[in-house]
């Protein structure tokens, strides 16, 4: 086997930027590299888990057709004290789309990384139903309700480790490639905004979901529809925090190669820009990985 043929792929967290993971996977497969292990966090766990189950084609077709209106429909807003979005609608939609499997039965070694906030430690999920693990790994605080396991709250792993390299240490692969979705901003690096469905601003999808929910409760409360700018500030704060942690993790546990996705590529919820995001990931892999493999 050619040196560098088998890959441990580390797939980081970063909301819709995680769709770039699909492009990286496509390039690796087209060029004959075998992904034998995946360690994923948040959106990296979602895309990585779907690839491991063998249904990335179905997911890509689906996500390429997503519109802002579809995203709003998938946000099952609860206005609860522990999270704005329950997350059940998204997870059940994906489970129905690609099926369910236990992690230990997957053909690719898979680790979903979440965080136990009670114990202040990472949680590496390597067994059990795939989508239960994904739901825990994507449970971004304030936005998604945490997953409760044995009375303890399990949330988005990006809070502690947005580029989960450590789970790959025991892999018997030729090299480890990490995709960091929290790299520093690049001037002009933003994907151009696309105005669809009446020109809605996708950056405020959460606030729109909240106000639509409130609009269904007019018999119970009266509330003017505002732009919930506070939640935009919250997720931008998470982006900044994850960027700082990612730099520390990569410095402490350097993988063989890092593919950096700038943090300003798109907003957290820009899932209706799947095509350009996937293309960006593919182009990045095509520009960086040939030289990397040649150097092995």
């Amino acid at each position: 086997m050619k040196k560098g043929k088998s890959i441990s792929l580390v797939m980081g967290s970063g909301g819709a930027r995680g769709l770039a993971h699909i492009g990286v996977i496509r390039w690796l497969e087209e060029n004959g590299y075998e992904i034998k292990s995946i360690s994923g966090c948040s959106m990296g766990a979602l895309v990585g888990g779907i690839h491991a189950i063998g249904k990335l084609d179905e997911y890509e077709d689906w996500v390429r057709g997503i519109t802002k209106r579809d995203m709003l429909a998938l946000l099952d807003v609860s206005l609860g004290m522990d999270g704005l979005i329950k997350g059940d609608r998204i997870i059940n939609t994906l489970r129905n789309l690609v099926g369910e499997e236990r992690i230990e039965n997957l053909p690719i070694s898979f680790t979903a990384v979440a965080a136990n906030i009670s114990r202040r430690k990472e949680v590496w999920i390597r067994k059990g139903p795939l989508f239960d693990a994904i739901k825990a790994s994507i449970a971004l605080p304030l936005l998604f309700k945490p997953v409760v396991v044995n009375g303890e709250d399990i949330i988005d792993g990006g809070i502690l480790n947005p580029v989960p390299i450590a789970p790959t240490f025991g892999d018997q692969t030729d090299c480890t490639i990490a995709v960091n979705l929290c790299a520093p901003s690049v001037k002009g690096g933003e994907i151009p905004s696309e105005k669809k469905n009446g020109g809605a601003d996708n950056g405020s999808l959460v606030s729109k979901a909240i106000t639509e929910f409130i609009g269904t409760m007019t018999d119970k409360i009266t509330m003017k529809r505002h732009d919930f700018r506070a939640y935009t500030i919250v997720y931008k704060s998470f982006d900044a925090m994850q960027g700082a942690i990612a730099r520390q993790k990569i410095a402490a546990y350097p993988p063989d190669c890092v593919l950096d996705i700038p943090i300003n590529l798109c907003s957290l919820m820009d899932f209706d820009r799947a095509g350009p995001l996937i293309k960006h990931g593919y182009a990045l892999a095509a520009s960086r990985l040939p030289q990397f493999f040649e150097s092995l």
Side-chain angles (χ1 to χ4, degrees):
M1 176 180 286
K2 175 185 172 183
K3 187 177 181 181
K5 270 288 190 179
S6 62
I7 309 295
S8 292
L9 187 60
V10 178
M11 304 173 70
S13 66
R17 292 190 300 278
L19 293 174
H21 289 312
I22 298 175
V24 174
I25 291 171
R26 294 305 190 199
W27 188 92
L28 287 168
E29 289 190 322
E30 287 178 12
N31 287 274
Y33 297 99
E34 181 184 6
I35 301 169
K36 297 187 68 174
S37 170
I38 292 174
S39 172
C41 176
S42 196
M43 192 61 187
L46 191 154
V47 173
I50 290 174
H51 176 63
I53 206 174
K55 295 298 181 70
L56 192 61
D57 288 347
E58 289 84 348
Y59 175 71
E60 182 178 346
D61 288 344
W62 176 79
V63 78
R64 281 180 178 274
I66 285 286
T67 65
K68 295 178 176 69
R69 188 179 300 277
D70 295 329
M71 283 302 302
L72 288 172
L74 288 170
L75 300 181
D76 45 356
V77 177
S78 68
L79 290 188
M81 297 301 292
D82 54 357
L84 294 170
I85 300 166
K86 289 183 285 187
D88 293 337
R89 192 174 299 165
I90 293 174
I91 291 298
N92 289 336
T93 297
L94 293 175
R95 185 182 279 118
N96 291 335
L97 178 71
V98 305
E100 178 65 281
E101 183 61 87
R102 293 187 67 84
I103 294 172
E104 58 268 33
N105 296 333
L106 295 175
I108 295 174
S109 174
F110 176 73
T111 304
V113 177
N116 183 319
I117 55 173
S118 300
R119 300 177 183 271
R120 302 182 183 181
K121 59 186 286 187
E122 292 179 36
V123 177
W124 295 359
I125 307 174
R126 289 173 158 166
K127 62 181 180 179
L130 174 64
F131 280 100
D132 286 358
I134 291 173
K135 185 177 181 181
S137 188
I138 67 172
L140 188 65
L142 292 184
L143 295 182
F144 288 95
K145 293 170 70 70
V147 173
V148 180
V149 178
N150 297 326
E152 297 181 329
D153 289 331
I154 308 299
I155 62 172
D156 192 315
I159 299 303
L160 295 178
N161 192 354
V163 189
I165 301 163
T168 68
F169 285 171
D171 291 347
Q172 300 299 309
T173 55
D174 295 319
C175 63
T176 299
I177 298 172
V179 184
N180 173 25
L181 303 181
C182 302
S185 297
V186 174
K187 185 176 181 180
E190 303 89 347
I191 290 177
S193 177
E194 297 178 4
K195 296 297 183 180
K196 299 177 182 177
N197 297 336
D201 177 7
N202 207 29
S204 59
L205 269 177
V206 173
S207 67
K208 293 179 188 302
I210 296 167
T211 54
E212 287 197 4
F213 177 82
I214 290 171
T216 68
M217 301 175 64
T218 52
D219 292 339
K220 299 179 181 179
I221 61 175
T222 301
M223 183 173 181
K224 183 179 179 180
R225 294 191 173 202
H226 295 288
D227 178 14
F228 282 69
R229 185 170 176 270
Y231 297 101
T232 300
I233 294 173
V234 166
Y235 77 68
K236 285 184 176 180
S237 299
F238 282 130
D239 266 350
M241 178 191 70
Q242 289 185 117
I245 297 173
R247 289 192 294 274
Q248 294 172 355
K249 293 293 186 181
I250 292 170
Y253 310 112
D256 297 300
C257 181
V258 179
L259 299 179
D260 283 327
I261 305 290
I263 208 164
N264 65 326
L265 184 66
C266 70
S267 296
L268 180 77
M269 300 292 285
D270 279 343
F271 290 95
D272 65 318
R273 302 183 190 182
L277 288 166
I278 294 168
K279 182 178 179 180
H280 182 92
Y282 187 96
L284 178 61
S287 68
R288 289 286 316 283
L289 293 182
Q291 298 93 320
F292 163 68
F293 287 119
E294 287 175 5
S295 69
L296 291 178

